[in-house]
């Protein structure tokens, strides 16, 4: 996500593309809007059909999924054309882990002050091992993708354009078209398989296809948006006529707006293409974009999310107002801004401490670890090489 900032700048002297940086902020704002609805527990489908209902219904799924896909596309944009090695991937993970640990321990400390009895062994393990324990599912999936990427990119390069193209067609048929069937059991969302799926599709576009035009990008956005909106509207009407169970209606809505669904990919890719062509420079945008990933971490850290944020900011308190949509937008933007300000504090603390020699500890650990591995391998080869003479 946005906190995966190392890949943003190809080198420190090159100016950052503020169009892409602005897209990071928009992506995390969409995700925050999704969280406002999905974590509220509000019985949205019990409300009568209206523009307000449809807006929050789309927040429930599609807005957040678009934001997630945008984050992944931004990361891939800076990764797939550069040589990836296990060491580079581990260094990115090392730097990412520091940020995860910071926010997980801040959440742990606040939870302990608020309610010490609620801090059990599971809470401690979540704080100490946020990636392994899947404290933030996106971060965990992204880390796994980073570890696979050096091998995945080599394999995709070696298979060549034609086989890569056929691979994409098969995947689009399997996880694109067939997965649109309501109730289909071909789910790949919220795990690294979905990340690999998008990587395979995106690398084919970037390596072999001519860049699509702005008109084509807008068409993708319009078609994807109409499919999602029309599907939501149609099923809402059908649900009201047939008095369907809300859980069942969600099962039918999800195929067109869950992670990596074709309409979601179409909208996200179209938006991404347009923003990559926005060439401007803004220090404010670039500065705020550095904290985009932190907004996700803060708003999805379980204590912040359940006990502080969404306890006091509830959809039920917003929905009844005639200005519900406007209020929700102001609330979401306020949350994003507040989280960015909090991360500025974290960045200052890191600047004064662990970032004074950024990556030096990793290099030290990496060099010694490989030295041990190398010496062990050499001893093993020498030992095995002595067997024939011993037998003779």
């Amino acid at each position: 996500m946005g906190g995966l900032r190392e890949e943003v700048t190809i080198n420190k002297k090159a100016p950052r593309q503020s169009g892409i940086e602005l897209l990071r902020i928009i992506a995390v704002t969409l995700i925050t809007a999704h969280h406002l609805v999905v974590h509220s527990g509000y019985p949205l489908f019990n409300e009568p059909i209206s523009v307000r209902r449809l807006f929050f219904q789309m927040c429930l799924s599609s807005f957040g999924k678009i934001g997630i896909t945008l984050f992944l596309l931004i990361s891939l944009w800076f990764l797939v054309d550069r040589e990836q090695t296990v060491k580079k991937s581990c260094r990115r993970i090392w730097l990412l882990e520091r940020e995860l640990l910071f926010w997980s321990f801040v959440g742990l400390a606040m939870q302990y002050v608020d309610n010490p009895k609620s801090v059990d062994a599971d809470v401690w393990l979540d704080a100490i091992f946020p990636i392994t324990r899947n404290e933030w599912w996106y971060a965990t999936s992204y880390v796994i993708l980073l570890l696979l990427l050096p091998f995945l990119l080599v394999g995709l390069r070696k298979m060549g354009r034609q086989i890569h193209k056929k691979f994409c067609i098969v995947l689009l048929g399997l996880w694109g078209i067939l997965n649109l069937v309501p109730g289909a059991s071909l789910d790949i969302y919220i795990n690294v398989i979905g990340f690999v799926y998008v990587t395979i599709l995106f690398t084919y576009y970037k390596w072999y296809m001519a860049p699509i035009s702005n008109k084509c990008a807008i068409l993708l956005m319009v078609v994807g948006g109409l499919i999602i909106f029309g599907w939501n509207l149609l099923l809402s009407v059908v649900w009201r006529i047939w008095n369907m169970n809300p859980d069942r209606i969600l099962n039918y809505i999800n195929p067109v707006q869950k992670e990596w669904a074709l309409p979601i990919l179409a909208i996200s890719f179209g938006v991404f293409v347009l923003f990559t062509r926005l060439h401007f420079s803004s220090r404010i945008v670039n500065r705020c974009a550095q904290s985009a990933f932190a907004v996700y971490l803060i708003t999805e850290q379980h204590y912040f999310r359940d006990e502080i944020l969404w306890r006091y900011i509830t959809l039920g308190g917003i929905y009844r107002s005639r200005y519900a949509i406007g209020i929700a937008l102001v609330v979401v933007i306020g949350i994003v801004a507040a989280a960015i300000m909090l991360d500025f504090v974290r960045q200052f603390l890191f600047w004064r401490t662990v970032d004074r020699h950024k990556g030096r500890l990793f290099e030290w650990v990496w060099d010694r670890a490989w030295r041990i591995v190398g010496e062990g391998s050499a001893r093993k080869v020498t030992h095995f090489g002595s067997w024939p003479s011993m037998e003779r």
Side-chain angles (χ1 to χ4, degrees):
M1 272 197 176
L4 319 171
R5 289 183 297 274
E6 186 187 11
E7 63 265 31
V8 173
T9 321
I10 296 179
N11 60 69
K12 292 184 178 180
K13 295 181 181 180
R16 297 173 70 171
Q17 294 178 250
S18 293
I20 293 181
E21 299 307 302
L22 177 60
L23 188 58
R24 292 178 188 274
I25 300 172
I26 293 173
V28 81
T29 303
L30 291 173
I31 293 171
T32 305
H34 164 68
H35 290 163
L36 172 66
V37 180
V38 77
H39 294 313
S40 67
Y42 186 75
L44 186 62
F45 289 96
N46 291 337
E47 297 291 340
I49 300 173
S50 62
V51 173
R52 180 190 314 175
R53 208 312 270 288
L54 286 171
F55 172 81
F56 287 106
Q57 189 171 308
M58 293 182 71
C59 283
L60 181 65
S61 291
S62 56
F63 287 4
K65 313 313 179 190
I66 292 169
I68 288 168
T69 307
L70 288 174
F71 265 131
L72 180 57
L73 291 177
I74 292 169
S75 294
L76 292 175
W77 178 259
F78 295 101
L79 288 172
V80 298
D81 282 340
R82 300 160 64 187
E83 181 187 6
Q84 301 302 322
T85 64
V86 175
K87 181 179 180 180
K88 288 181 180 179
S89 294
C90 289
R91 188 178 190 276
R92 290 189 179 96
I93 295 168
W94 178 285
L95 297 176
L96 172 64
E97 177 77 0
R98 303 178 315 162
E99 195 170 344
L100 300 182
L101 288 172
F102 178 86
W103 290 116
S104 61
F105 274 103
V106 168
L108 173 67
M110 294 186 67
Q111 183 175 351
Y112 185 82
V113 171
D114 181 40
N115 185 7
K117 293 183 180 179
S118 68
V119 181
D120 55 17
D122 281 335
V123 175
W124 276 102
L125 288 171
D126 288 344
I128 298 171
F129 305 105
I131 291 177
T132 308
R133 298 274 295 183
N134 205 24
E135 176 77 351
W136 291 280
W137 75 265
Y138 187 99
T140 298
S141 297
Y142 184 81
V143 164
I144 298 173
L145 177 65
L146 284 177
L147 292 174
L148 297 178
L149 205 56
F151 312 100
L152 178 62
L153 294 182
V154 170
L156 292 174
R157 285 287 191 188
K158 287 185 178 296
M159 70 173 55
R161 178 172 184 170
Q162 291 304 316
I163 297 179
H164 195 163
K165 180 179 180 180
K166 293 176 182 178
F167 196 9
C168 291
I169 292 172
V170 169
L171 293 182
L172 284 170
L174 176 62
W175 288 325
I177 297 172
L178 293 181
N179 219 27
L180 290 174
V181 177
S185 297
L186 302 172
D187 293 335
I188 58 168
Y189 59 92
I190 310 188
N191 58 51
V192 75
I193 298 177
F195 282 56
V196 172
Y197 168 57
V198 175
T199 301
I200 293 169
L201 299 179
F202 186 76
T203 49
Y204 182 81
Y205 167 78
K206 195 170 186 189
W207 292 349
Y208 302 118
M209 293 179 63
I212 65 172
S213 66
N214 290 347
K215 288 183 179 180
C216 184
I218 294 172
L219 180 63
L220 286 174
M221 295 164 54
V222 171
V223 171
L226 287 176
I227 291 173
I228 291 175
F229 179 79
W231 194 252
N232 274 273
L233 180 60
L234 174 64
L235 288 181
S236 295
V237 173
V238 171
W239 169 77
R240 178 60 67 180
I241 294 173
W242 290 352
N243 196 27
M244 294 173 64
N245 183 287
D247 292 335
R248 189 178 178 189
I249 195 70
L250 276 175
N251 187 46
Y252 284 96
I253 289 176
N254 277 340
V256 300
Q257 57 186 28
K258 59 188 173 184
E259 285 90 348
W260 330 126
L262 279 181
I264 295 294
L265 289 178
I267 296 172
S268 303
F269 185 68
V271 172
F272 173 78
V273 168
L274 293 179
F275 273 83
T276 59
R277 294 169 183 171
L278 282 180
H279 299 293
F280 71 98
S281 180
S282 169
R283 294 181 63 184
I284 295 175
V285 169
N286 294 347
R287 188 73 179 83
C288 292
Q290 292 182 29
S291 297
F293 185 52
V295 176
Y296 164 74
L297 295 180
I298 293 169
T299 57
E300 271 296 274
Q301 201 278 336
H302 68 88
Y303 178 75
F304 289 131
R305 180 190 68 202
D306 299 333
E307 301 300 329
I308 297 180
L309 195 56
W310 307 123
R311 178 197 288 180
Y312 300 105
I313 303 174
T314 62
L315 183 59
I318 296 173
Y319 193 87
R320 295 298 178 185
S321 171
R322 62 184 298 185
Y323 307 109
I325 295 176
I327 293 172
L329 291 174
V330 171
V331 167
V332 167
I333 293 172
I335 291 170
V336 171
I340 288 174
M341 294 299 108
L342 287 174
D343 191 60
F344 283 173
V345 176
R346 194 263 323 159
Q347 289 183 39
F348 175 77
L349 294 175
F350 274 33
W351 174 66
R352 298 296 297 174
T353 55
V354 295
D355 279 349
R356 294 177 73 89
H357 303 288
K358 192 174 182 178
R360 177 182 291 184
L361 181 57
F362 169 80
E363 295 293 338
W364 185 88
V365 172
W366 181 269
D367 290 343
R368 277 149 187 77
W370 276 106
R371 188 178 301 169
I372 293 171
V373 171
E375 291 175 355
S377 300
R379 286 196 298 270
K380 192 171 184 179
V381 170
T382 302
H383 179 62
F384 285 169
S386 67
W387 282 9
S389 59
M390 290 174 65
E391 290 177 350
R392 286 194 299 270

